[in-house]
């Protein structure tokens, strides 16, 4: 079911004197997998935290499903941060208990089924798992919710190619088809096959937003190739903002 899910209009956010989002405007519909693409320091992580209600903006309008970030929007957003955030002493099953308590839309059976497929023992503590397995567990938790908006911040960074294929396959197979997935990444060639639409960020602004099929048809190139053309003169670096 299509409809406007995310509306950002003239959004500004600073860290001290550094302006990270600079009059950003973005509109996204339901039912799509969207790539949020840009070099380091372009504002991807900051925008995701704003949408998730973790950061407040100085100016501008942010609406998710017609509401400002708050209690309601948190109930419809499933968020995967770019860093692990669970205590090492917790068992995988403890995390399932936690999500079951917090989120009405968490489907425990789906989560347990994915763990069985991956041969992840839900009785193990997080601190005993490898980095890649921890990231898989976090993704399983996020994708086992029937959310309206999935915010995934660098879901494939730091994992091997086989794990990337699993992660992308999990996203494709398990997200709510009436919802929207927003994936922040700089590994464009790895994710573009699952994307319906892309938004390019540069210096805290959306400089291009387009359907992936339109890019291939009109430009005659891949999203990765277009990204390299658009950001050819942009220096990479500056950390995650």
């Amino acid at each position: 079911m299509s409809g406007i899910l995310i509306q950002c209009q003239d959004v500004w956010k600073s860290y001290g004197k550094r302006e990270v989002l600079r009059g950003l405007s973005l509109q996204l519909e339901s039912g799509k997998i969207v790539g949020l693409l840009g070099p380091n320091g372009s504002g991807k992580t900051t925008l995701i935290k704003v949408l998730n209600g973790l950061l407040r903006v100085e100016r501008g309008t942010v609406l998710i499903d017609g509401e400002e970030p708050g209690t309601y929007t948190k109930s419809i957003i499933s968020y995967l941060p770019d860093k692990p955030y669970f205590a090492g002493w917790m068992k995988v099953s403890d995390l399932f208990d936690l999500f079951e308590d917090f989120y009405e839309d968490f489907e425990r059976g789906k989560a347990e089924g994915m763990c069985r497929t991956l041969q992840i023992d839900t009785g193990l503590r997080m601190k005993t798992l490898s980095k890649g397995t921890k990231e898989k567990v976090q993704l399983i938790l996020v994708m086992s919710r029937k959310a309206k908006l999935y915010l995934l911040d660098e879901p494939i960074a730091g994992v091997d190619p086989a794990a990337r294929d699993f992660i992308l396959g999990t996203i494709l197979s398990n997200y709510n088809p009436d919802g929207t997935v927003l994936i922040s990444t700089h590994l464009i060639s790895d994710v573009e096959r699952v994307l319906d639409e892309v938004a390019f960020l540069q210096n805290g602004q959306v400089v291009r937003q387009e359907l992936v099929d339109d890019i291939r048809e009109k430009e005659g190139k891949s999203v990765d190739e277009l990204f390299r053309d658009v950001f050819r003169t942009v220096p990479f670096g500056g950390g995650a903002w």
Side-chain angles (χ1 to χ4, degrees):
M1 199 167 111
S2 63
I4 302 304
L5 184 63
I6 295 175
Q7 286 180 292
C8 297
Q9 186 66 40
D10 194 28
V11 173
W12 293 76
K13 175 63 186 175
S14 302
Y15 298 121
K17 294 183 179 180
R18 180 185 172 94
E19 291 177 334
V20 180
L21 301 181
R22 304 171 64 249
L24 178 143
S25 293
L26 176 69
Q27 185 169 289
L28 295 177
E29 295 180 350
S30 298
K32 291 184 177 178
I33 300 180
V34 182
L36 185 64
L37 313 177
N40 291 339
S42 59
K44 301 189 299 296
T45 292
T46 296
L47 175 58
I48 282 182
K49 287 182 176 178
V50 164
L51 294 174
N52 201 44
L54 295 174
L55 293 174
R56 288 183 175 273
V57 300
E58 281 96 43
R59 304 205 313 266
T61 302
V62 178
L63 297 176
I64 299 161
D65 202 27
E67 300 282 339
E68 294 183 353
T71 303
Y72 167 69
T73 63
K74 286 180 184 295
S75 74
I76 64 168
I77 291 174
S78 196
Y79 170 50
L80 181 72
D82 60 344
K83 295 180 177 65
Y85 61 98
F86 294 120
W89 60 264
M90 297 183 79
K91 297 177 183 177
V92 176
S93 58
D94 293 334
L95 299 178
F96 292 172
D97 292 342
L98 183 67
F99 266 58
E100 210 167 24
D101 287 343
F102 267 83
Y103 302 111
E104 290 183 5
D105 60 4
F106 179 68
E107 300 179 45
R108 186 175 187 129
K110 178 184 280 190
E112 290 173 342
M114 281 193 269
C115 281
R116 282 194 298 273
T117 299
L118 289 168
Q119 298 182 320
I120 296 173
D121 184 347
T122 59
L124 293 177
R125 299 188 188 279
M126 292 296 286
K127 65 183 178 184
T128 68
L129 304 180
S130 68
K131 181 177 184 291
T133 303
K134 287 177 184 175
E135 294 189 358
K136 289 174 185 176
V137 170
Q138 288 199 171
L139 183 71
I140 285 169
L141 288 163
V142 169
M143 300 312 299
S144 293
R145 290 185 56 202
K146 196 170 183 181
K148 287 191 175 182
L149 176 60
Y150 301 84
L151 298 175
L152 312 180
D153 195 359
E154 296 288 357
I156 61 172
V159 297
D160 60 71
R164 289 176 193 174
D165 286 342
F166 163 75
I167 288 168
L168 294 174
T170 300
I171 292 167
L172 271 177
S173 304
N174 293 283
Y175 83 101
N176 175 10
D178 292 330
T180 284
V181 181
L182 186 61
I183 303 175
S184 163
T185 186
H186 62 278
L187 298 171
I188 299 161
S189 61
D190 289 287
V191 304
E192 71 169 275
R193 64 183 170 87
V194 308
L195 301 178
D196 299 308
E197 188 174 338
V198 293
F200 287 177
L201 259 65
Q202 183 176 0
N203 298 324
Q205 298 176 321
V206 175
V207 295
R208 186 160 183 168
Q209 182 180 355
E210 205 160 345
L211 294 173
V212 170
D213 286 346
D214 288 348
I215 290 173
R216 290 171 181 149
E217 185 176 332
K218 291 191 291 187
E219 304 281 348
K221 58 183 68 172
S222 68
V223 174
D224 189 44
E225 289 169 333
L226 179 63
F227 180 87
R228 291 171 189 273
D229 287 347
V230 169
F231 295 104
R232 184 170 289 148
T233 59
V234 178
F236 281 70
W241 294 99

